[in-house]
Amino acid sequence: MIHFVLLISRQGKVRLTKWYSPYSQKERSKVIRELGRIILTRAPKLCNFVEWRGYKVVYRRYASLYFCACIDPDDNELEILEIIHHYVEILDRYFGSVCELDLIFNFHKAYYILDEILIAGELQESSKKNVARLVAAQDALVETAKEQTGSTSNMIAQATK
Amino acid sequence: MAGGSSSSSSSFSTAPAPSLVDSLFQRSLDDLIKALRSQPAGAEPSLLSRAVAEIRREIRSPDPDTKAVALQKLTYLSSLHGLDASWAAFHALELLPSPSPLHKRLAYVAASLSFHPSTTDVLPLSTHQLRKDLSPSSPPPFSSLALHLLSLSASPDLALHLAPDLLPLLSPRSSPSSPLRPKAAAAALRTLSVCPDVAPLLFKPLVDCLSSPDLRVVSAAVGAFAELASSGDPTPYLPLAPEFYRVLAESGSNWILIKLLKIFTRLAPLEPRLAARLVDPLCDLLRRSSAQSLVFECVRTVFSGLPDHDRAVRLAVDKVREFLASADDPNLRYLGLRALSMLGPRHSWAVEESREAVIRSLADPDPNIRREALHLIMVMVFDSNVVEISVLLVNYAMKSDPIFANELLDAVLTTCRRNVYELIVDFDWYVSLLGEMARNPHCTRGEEIERQIVDIGLRVRDARPELVRVARGLLIDPALLGNPFLCRILSAAAWVSGEYVEFSRNPLELVEALLQPRTSLLPPLVRAVYIQAVFKVLAFCFSTYIDQLEISQLSSLGNSTTGGASSIVESNTAAAASCIADGIAGMESTDGIATVGPLSENDEVEVHGRARNLLGLIHMLREILTWKTEEQGFIKDNRIGEIVNLLQSMFSEELGPVSVNAQNRVPVPEGLVLEENLADLAWTLTEDDTAPSMSISFSLRSHQHGKTKDAAASSVRSASLLAEHRKRHGLYYLPTEKDETESNDYPRANDPLLPASQGDVPEDLVKLTKQSLIPRKVKHTKPRPVVIKLDEGDGVSTFPSTTVKESKDDLLSGAIHDALLGEGKPSSSQKRYSDKSSRGRVKDIADTGESVSQSKENLESGNREHRSSGSKSKHRGHGKERHRSPQKNEEKEEKNHRNSARSSHHHERHKHRPRGEALLNVAPRAPVIQHFLL
């Protein structure tokens, strides 16, 4: 299973984290520091796998972002690479040629999309179309809710003026 | 707003409710992100702490919007800036029941981030809300959120409570293409792995998922079984093999196939007939599939699951060769090497076939590939090729980059050391190899080399002359002295040449080397070793000189006192001996004192003390030499005899390796009361202190001797105690008949010999001799020397067996085993159970407070376990918990009973316990595994 997914920029800034195994906040920060050091220093055109604390970390760089996933030693590295690519393609489709800035300002969206792809560290949806449909449906649901709350807060704002 | 923050933070404790103004002018997440981005580099921490203070205030707002935005900001800060969010668990919980999908989603994300299964104490409070969101009547997106949270932060307790609520989602009756069923399968997996008690409930629906027409459901179920089978004992899943086989035949999805193969990798070794049936489909996939991930999984399945099926292995090995040959894809090269190391030494022919590619990988630009190649090569080391491979690697270490060079040296050192040097036949060769390693400019493995040099010196008598030769080479090279990583090796070399100086061809040269000016670069402790070595060498030279004089002058007294003086020196003529004496004279007058003199003022006590000793010896020798010139018959002089004896007795005792348990073998002398207070013995000090220092060692020695004899005679009682101890802990004793000295018969290796002519040093990496990676017989030229080996624990095993996983007979497997065996008849008890549970549920809902206190109790016990398990192996922690839980459940049960006496709500308190117990007690029937198969 996947123990966690990290998105780290080339400058070492964290752009997304998702933990499928229980780690305390302290451990999380430590993991990110360690892996950032290991992965960001690797030259291009090397293999996409690193061993780390008895686990394997599969990473792949897209533009300035490193997508990393930590897996058990007997998991299939190539499969994980495909999952990462799958995620990137869906992000790309959702944001329309995704860039790092999209993820910075839509952190939660990236999070929800990942939740449609992985659950409990396992792939749950391999169809891009389905993921896009589910995410769109959720967005619509939230939009309508937002409009309602938006109007009420407007009302309050009016009233207090 | 920034100005207002200080005033309102002061009111934070007294008036937690923020005003309406606060919520109106709340910073949104976007504002926060923009502020963080526009901040100069150093100001981030202060900005973050201000933001957190703000969030802490806002999060208490009764207005759900304000709370939601605060939670959202906290989620962001926690997951990207590493701020702790666990304190907000309760606030996330507060927002969970919100009817707004926006708030609910934020609340669930915040909860999944701040909840930790073992440390969050409000976790039980979420039970009710999760159950509500999981119910079929709530909108699917809500259920999906609840499933995510359940799969991330399920504690055993939560899992036990909510498992029944997964059933409707898992059943095929839920709308046919619902996205919830695969999610429910994944959540069921997590529930099962944290709480094995729910296996009887969830297992059957999970199995049913395998036959669903929806591929996503099948995929999720197969994934769940793959995870279950690889995290514990796979035996209970063997009865499902026909079902898996059917999916294998029908499914065309690579995602599913990869997971299935993972299951078969674990099942095939258990059942030979299954393995036989798998050969055809696997070969088919290997030939046909264009997806490398699937091909690699097939290769892995074949190598670790079906190593006996030659046809499949052959095909897989061919695929691996293709992987290794792919010049443009480092991933495939890496995985190819990994796959080969799965095959193990039995199929060394496969490695042999790709020998060239493997050896070439040592020079790959990717350090990970190089490491894999090195690992693979080291697995293939046998006593027939250890020389060749070690020489190759050590030579290559000269050329490669510093980090990898040390990895190479490490690999050679640990492999050769394995099991007390069992691979090494020719120790002369190995010792000179150690010398070569020390000369590698990148070498940082000084400590290990030091350890091995001393260790071999102690254990292998026959290797000592060569050791001394190698040590000399290291000591006389002034260039090595400046390297801080080598000083440990030099220290070992100095010790060896002092201790075994009788094998030295030219002790004088050794003294010069040990006292060369650049030794001032060494750390004080190593210098101390150097000076001690000089002392030993001088003492040896002196006594040899005296011996030589005796031999030449009084040839009748050929039986010299120094029986240990080696043949080398004995074969020398008296002229050589006098040369040594002249040398001593010369040395003392010039070099020696010049170098050692200043040392006697050294700050470091060790150096200081030893330099003093050495100077004392030199002064004494100088006197003796002057006696010689005055008077020829000085040998009969008693004083000289005494000095010779003294010097010899100082170093004649040979140091040997000591068994870890040696202490146990010393009988406690009678009259020695170990528990007695030492203060009572203070009077002995005053007497002993007056003893003359010169004779103390002699008198002590003889004294002790007599005493131990006495003690041995009279300590019958302690001996019988010891015998009893030995009987009970025989494991830790050396076999009685075995002596600790040379007579210890070490089992000889099968091929004790190695032709010296074979050691052609391959210049190029790829030029390994043919078939070097497979074991073969070698011709005998000389026998393997005796290696003193004390006990089993002596050799540090570098390859610990990794069978922990296999041997683990965990509760989950047991529970699933039971569930499977009970699967034949759809048990009415299960239906009864779910009814009962739904009834019980109502009560649970009625009294949430009760469930909190009760699960707090469980949390405490869980906590204890978690703290003991290491931080990185959280899973193993779970495994342990699982492993131990049968007794623990009983304990808890007892505890509950005890509590129930005190508590008035006792009926509520262990409502769920008997549930789990009853389920666990499904009577195991006779195994029906075999006839399921084929």
Side-chain angles (χ1 to χ4, degrees):
Chain A
M1 70 174 267
I2 300 176
H3 295 283
F4 53 81
V5 175
L6 300 179
L7 264 66
I8 307 178
S9 77
R10 211 176 42 185
Q11 289 80 30
K13 292 257 185 235
V14 187
R15 295 301 178 210
L16 185 98
T17 55
K18 179 81 189 180
W19 309 86
Y20 296 101
S21 298
Y23 290 84
S24 73
Q25 190 64 49
K26 219 172 169 184
E27 289 165 338
R28 290 176 186 175
S29 308
K30 196 163 163 234
V31 166
I32 292 171
R33 262 201 317 278
E34 268 179 40
L35 282 180
R37 229 185 352 251
I38 298 176
I39 289 172
L40 299 182
T41 51
R42 276 174 68 79
K45 292 190 180 172
L46 302 184
C47 75
N48 296 97
F49 320 124
V50 255
E51 282 187 40
W52 170 79
R53 293 203 204 166
Y55 295 105
K56 277 185 298 190
V57 176
V58 178
Y59 73 93
R60 188 151 176 177
R61 186 177 159 179
Y62 290 88
S64 59
L65 264 191
Y66 286 84
F67 287 68
C68 321
C70 171
I71 52 172
D72 283 324
D74 53 353
D75 278 330
N76 191 319
E77 294 92 337
L78 294 173
E79 184 200 7
I80 303 299
L81 273 183
E82 281 172 42
I83 291 179
I84 290 177
H85 191 65
H86 183 62
Y87 179 43
V88 172
E89 279 186 332
I90 291 170
L91 284 178
D92 202 47
R93 196 175 285 195
Y94 182 83
F95 288 107
S97 81
V98 65
C99 66
E100 201 179 327
L101 221 55
D102 287 326
L103 297 184
I104 293 173
F105 283 102
N106 296 287
F107 158 76
H108 283 76
K109 294 266 171 60
Y111 216 91
Y112 300 141
I113 293 174
L114 185 60
D115 270 355
E116 292 302 331
I117 298 171
L118 296 175
I119 182 170
E122 306 281 336
L123 180 77
Q124 56 163 331
E125 182 58 77
S126 55
S127 147
K128 292 182 200 89
K129 227 195 289 173
N130 277 342
V131 175
R133 207 162 41 75
L134 288 168
V135 173
Q138 285 215 26
D139 278 354
L141 205 65
V142 169
E143 273 314 308
T144 48
K146 230 183 211 167
E147 275 165 26
Q148 286 165 8
T149 55
S151 58
T152 43
S153 68
N154 280 344
M155 276 156 58
I156 298 170
Q158 294 291 328
T160 49
K161 240 171 200 174
Chain B
M1 212 165 42
S5 75
S6 62
S7 61
S8 45
S9 68
S10 60
S11 64
F12 165 70
S13 52
T14 50
S19 67
L20 185 62
V21 181
D22 264 340
S23 40
L24 281 179
F25 295 102
Q26 186 182 25
R27 275 205 291 184
S28 72
L29 177 61
D30 269 7
D31 297 338
L32 179 66
I33 296 173
K34 277 176 192 151
L36 275 170
R37 281 175 67 77
S38 59
Q39 202 68 20
E44 199 185 275
S46 67
L47 186 72
L48 286 181
S49 59
R50 238 183 314 139
V52 170
E54 205 175 278
I55 290 169
R56 276 186 186 270
R57 200 174 61 247
E58 291 163 3
I59 213 165
R60 290 159 168 262
S61 159
D63 174 32
D65 281 320
T66 315
K67 194 189 276 292
V69 171
L71 268 180
Q72 188 183 27
K73 288 193 284 189
L74 184 65
T75 314
Y76 180 85
L77 293 180
S78 154
S79 57
L80 300 196
H81 293 272
L83 296 183
D84 187 27
S86 53
W87 59 270
F90 181 73
H91 301 289
L93 198 68
E94 277 182 317
L95 204 60
L96 281 186
S98 163
S100 152
L102 176 66
H103 294 165
K104 207 182 226 353
R105 196 154 75 160
L106 287 175
Y108 268 106
V109 170
S112 69
L113 207 65
S114 55
F115 284 11
H116 190 283
S118 57
T119 56
T120 304
D121 44 2
V122 297
L123 196 57
L125 292 177
S126 63
T127 318
H128 169 56
Q129 187 55 42
L130 281 172
R131 177 169 292 146
K132 208 167 147 195
D133 284 335
L134 285 174
S135 81
S137 55
S138 73
F142 289 8
S143 307
S144 158
L145 289 170
L147 285 173
H148 269 286
L149 184 61
L150 179 62
S151 69
L152 287 186
S153 50
S155 65
D157 222 47
L158 201 63
L160 191 68
H161 275 96
L162 291 175
D165 300 284
L166 289 176
L167 284 179
L169 296 172
L170 274 175
S171 81
R173 280 189 304 280
S174 69
S175 64
S177 65
S178 159
L180 290 181
R181 203 172 168 203
K183 289 185 190 188
L189 157 71
R190 195 47 83 85
T191 318
L192 273 174
S193 50
V194 293
C195 177
D197 291 356
V198 301
L201 189 63
L202 291 177
F203 199 72
K204 177 88 170 51
L206 212 49
V207 173
D208 289 342
C209 286
L210 285 174
S211 45
S212 159
D214 186 350
L215 277 187
R216 287 176 299 171
V217 177
V218 180
S219 170
V222 170
F225 282 115
E227 198 55 40
L228 289 172
S230 59
S231 63
D233 176 18
T235 329
Y237 311 97
L238 202 51
L240 291 173
E243 190 69 7
F244 293 139
Y245 194 83
R246 182 188 59 76
V247 180
L248 179 72
E250 288 173 5
S251 164
S253 156
N254 287 348
W255 300 106
I256 297 179
L257 287 175
I258 288 175
K259 299 277 182 207
L260 270 177
L261 290 177
K262 217 180 270 177
I263 301 175
F264 283 128
T265 308
R266 302 279 290 163
L267 293 185
L270 301 175
E271 175 56 62
R273 282 175 293 171
L274 174 63
R277 284 291 293 270
L278 281 174
V279 172
D280 277 333
L282 276 175
C283 289
D284 203 37
L285 281 177
L286 275 171
R287 274 195 216 95
R288 203 160 43 76
S289 176
S290 58
Q292 302 290 18
S293 51
L294 183 58
V295 170
F296 176 64
E297 200 57 49
C298 287
V299 167
R300 199 209 302 260
T301 307
V302 169
F303 283 179
S304 41
L306 319 136
D308 303 324
H309 295 266
D310 291 339
R311 189 157 61 93
V313 171
R314 181 69 257 171
L315 203 59
V317 168
D318 289 345
K319 279 288 171 192
V320 168
R321 291 185 69 179
E322 280 174 33
F323 277 19
L324 288 175
S326 62
D328 54 338
D329 193 343
N331 288 344
L332 291 184
R333 293 203 301 273
Y334 176 84
L335 293 177
L337 293 170
R338 264 201 102 78
L340 280 184
S341 50
M342 278 173 220
L343 260 181
R346 226 187 88 207
H347 288 279
S348 51
W349 59 270
V351 184
E352 180 56 38
E353 274 187 9
S354 337
R355 186 185 67 239
E356 204 174 307
V358 172
I359 301 281
R360 192 168 287 139
S361 301
L362 281 178
D364 200 279
D366 187 340
N368 290 1
I369 292 181
R370 290 195 300 243
R371 207 168 295 143
E372 253 344 284
L374 178 60
H375 174 83
L376 178 58
I377 291 173
M378 291 335 275
V379 172
M380 295 296 151
V381 170
F382 309 100
D383 55 356
S384 57
N385 59 11
V386 62
V387 174
E388 216 169 324
I389 290 181
S390 304
V391 167
L392 172 89
L393 295 182
V394 170
N395 283 344
Y396 182 56
M398 285 289 195
K399 288 177 263 173
S400 68
D401 64 294
I403 296 169
F404 191 57
N406 281 303
E407 273 172 38
L408 287 166
L409 297 184
D410 250 355
V412 174
L413 286 168
T414 42
T415 307
C416 291
R417 183 190 66 188
R418 194 165 68 211
N419 221 348
V420 199
Y421 311 100
E422 69 175 355
L423 287 173
I424 309 293
V425 175
D426 184 353
F427 275 91
D428 287 355
W429 160 78
Y430 185 57
V431 165
S432 55
L433 188 76
L434 285 176
E436 261 175 67
M437 289 187 202
R439 289 179 177 279
N440 187 312
H442 307 309
C443 175
T444 56
R445 296 295 182 263
E447 275 182 46
E448 178 61 22
I449 297 178
E450 174 202 26
R451 206 188 71 80
Q452 292 200 10
I453 288 177
V454 174
D455 199 36
I456 292 176
L458 293 176
R459 288 179 193 275
V460 191
R461 189 172 281 260
D462 295 356
R464 287 174 190 168
E466 181 66 13
L467 257 181
V468 170
R469 201 188 61 75
V470 169
R472 171 194 167 273
L474 293 173
L475 289 176
I476 61 172
D477 188 350
L480 298 181
L481 284 165
N483 185 340
F485 293 111
L486 294 187
C487 61
R488 304 295 301 266
I489 305 176
L490 292 176
S491 149
W495 181 82
V496 161
S497 32
E499 186 67 23
Y500 307 117
V501 61
E502 67 262 27
F503 300 111
S504 172
R505 280 173 199 282
N506 189 351
L508 188 63
E509 179 192 54
L510 213 54
V511 171
E512 274 170 11
L514 289 169
L515 292 176
Q516 59 183 301
R518 273 175 69 92
T519 53
S520 57
L521 297 171
L522 292 170
L525 283 179
V526 179
R527 293 198 85 178
V529 177
Y530 264 57
I531 294 172
Q532 186 71 359
V534 173
F535 194 91
K536 285 182 190 171
V537 173
L538 282 187
F540 170 78
C541 288
F542 174 69
S543 47
T544 317
Y545 172 63
I546 300 292
D547 284 348
Q548 292 297 335
L549 282 183
E550 268 184 39
I551 292 164
S552 59
Q553 292 184 1
L554 310 160
S555 52
S556 58
L557 290 173
N559 196 6
S560 79
T561 42
T562 52
S566 81
S567 54
I568 301 171
V569 178
E570 264 175 40
S571 67
N572 281 355
T573 55
S578 68
C579 166
I580 291 170
D582 290 348
I584 291 173
M587 207 268 323
E588 82 178 50
S589 58
T590 58
D591 256 14
I593 299 199
T595 330
V596 182
L599 283 182
S600 59
E601 260 86 64
N602 196 297
D603 286 343
E604 195 63 33
V605 281
E606 284 279 324
V607 180
H608 177 87
R610 292 191 191 187
R612 280 271 169 218
N613 282 349
L614 184 56
L615 285 176
L617 178 73
I618 290 174
H619 286 309
M620 188 173 74
L621 296 187
R622 186 196 280 157
E623 269 181 50
I624 293 169
L625 288 173
T626 49
W627 298 341
K628 175 199 160 190
T629 47
E630 288 163 6
E631 190 193 341
Q632 279 299 316
F634 70 95
I635 287 156
K636 284 168 192 162
D637 192 323
N638 279 338
R639 288 179 302 169
I640 292 191
E642 207 173 290
I643 291 168
V644 169
N645 279 337
L646 172 64
L647 285 179
Q648 276 170 5
S649 65
M650 260 194 290
F651 300 117
S652 61
E653 282 282 318
E654 188 177 299
L655 293 176
V658 179
S659 161
V660 187
N661 303 304
Q663 179 90 49
N664 293 347
R665 306 181 57 173
V666 180
V668 180
E670 209 188 11
L672 177 62
V673 185
L674 291 173
E675 290 83 9
E676 205 171 310
N677 193 343
L678 285 179
D680 299 345
L681 301 174
W683 59 272
T684 53
L685 268 178
T686 48
E687 278 187 12
D688 272 10
D689 275 350
T690 55
S693 63
M694 260 316 242
S695 58
I696 198 166
S697 65
F698 292 94
S699 62
L700 258 184
R701 181 170 294 230
S702 56
H703 185 64
Q704 269 183 350
H705 199 68
K707 204 175 178 184
T708 42
K709 239 193 239 165
D710 271 3
S714 57
S715 66
V716 186
R717 199 174 62 92
S718 64
S720 71
L721 275 177
L722 185 71
E724 203 175 291
H725 187 267
R726 183 185 291 259
K727 208 190 281 172
R728 255 187 297 150
H729 305 281
L731 170 68
Y732 304 110
Y733 283 96
L734 290 175
T736 30
E737 64 277 4
K738 266 195 192 169
D739 200 316
E740 270 182 52
T741 51
E742 299 283 2
S743 63
N744 194 348
D745 48 342
Y746 175 76
R748 308 237 162 198
N750 290 340
D751 303 314
L753 304 182
L754 205 106
S757 60
Q758 229 191 9
D760 291 350
V761 180
E763 286 306 312
D764 192 350
L765 262 186
V766 191
K767 276 190 206 156
L768 264 185
T769 53
K770 270 206 165 174
Q771 307 212 316
S772 52
L773 292 178
I774 52 178
R776 60 181 192 275
K777 296 274 172 194
V778 278
K779 277 192 227 153
H780 302 219
T781 50
K782 71 175 189 181
R784 186 176 192 270
V786 176
V787 180
I788 302 172
K789 197 176 168 187
L790 290 172
D791 40 26
E792 291 309 308
D794 198 1
V796 185
S797 162
T798 47
F799 295 92
S801 58
T802 50
T803 50
V804 190
K805 249 188 175 177
E806 275 76 18
S807 66
K808 195 173 72 182
D809 179 358
D810 60 358
L811 185 64
L812 177 57
S813 321
I816 281 168
H817 199 244
D818 290 347
L820 254 185
L821 292 179
E823 192 193 320
K825 51 173 182 185
S827 60
S828 55
S829 71
Q830 266 179 27
K831 275 185 191 143
R832 253 189 290 123
Y833 162 51
S834 55
D835 288 350
K836 201 166 52 174
S837 69
S838 60
R839 256 184 284 126
R841 200 188 298 162
V842 183
K843 282 183 189 165
D844 272 11
I845 294 167
D847 196 346
T848 15
E850 180 57 33
S851 78
V852 176
S853 69
Q854 166 237 324
S855 10
K856 251 185 192 161
E857 205 176 278
N858 293 342
L859 274 170
E860 266 167 32
S861 57
N863 274 352
R864 251 175 277 133
E865 299 243 353
H866 267 274
R867 246 172 261 139
S868 64
S869 68
S871 61
K872 64 178 171 181
S873 59
K874 270 282 130 79
H875 297 359
R876 227 164 283 152
H878 281 308
K880 236 191 271 167
E881 213 164 316
R882 246 182 277 153
H883 188 56
R884 266 203 256 158
S885 48
Q887 296 101 328
K888 251 179 68 186
N889 273 353
E890 280 172 29
E891 282 169 25
K892 277 187 200 159
E893 184 77 331
E894 266 182 44
K895 209 175 177 184
N896 282 343
H897 276 300
R898 261 183 281 124
N899 286 346
S900 65
R902 270 177 276 142
S903 154
S904 56
H905 327 277
H906 60 96
H907 57 283
E908 198 55 56
R909 183 168 273 263
H910 62 154
K911 187 85 229 163
H912 67 282
R913 276 299 161 196
R915 234 196 261 165
E917 293 295 308
L919 289 169
L920 204 62
N921 290 341
V922 175
R925 286 194 274 145
V928 282
I929 298 162
Q930 297 309 322
H931 75 258
F932 267 112
L933 283 167
L934 328 166

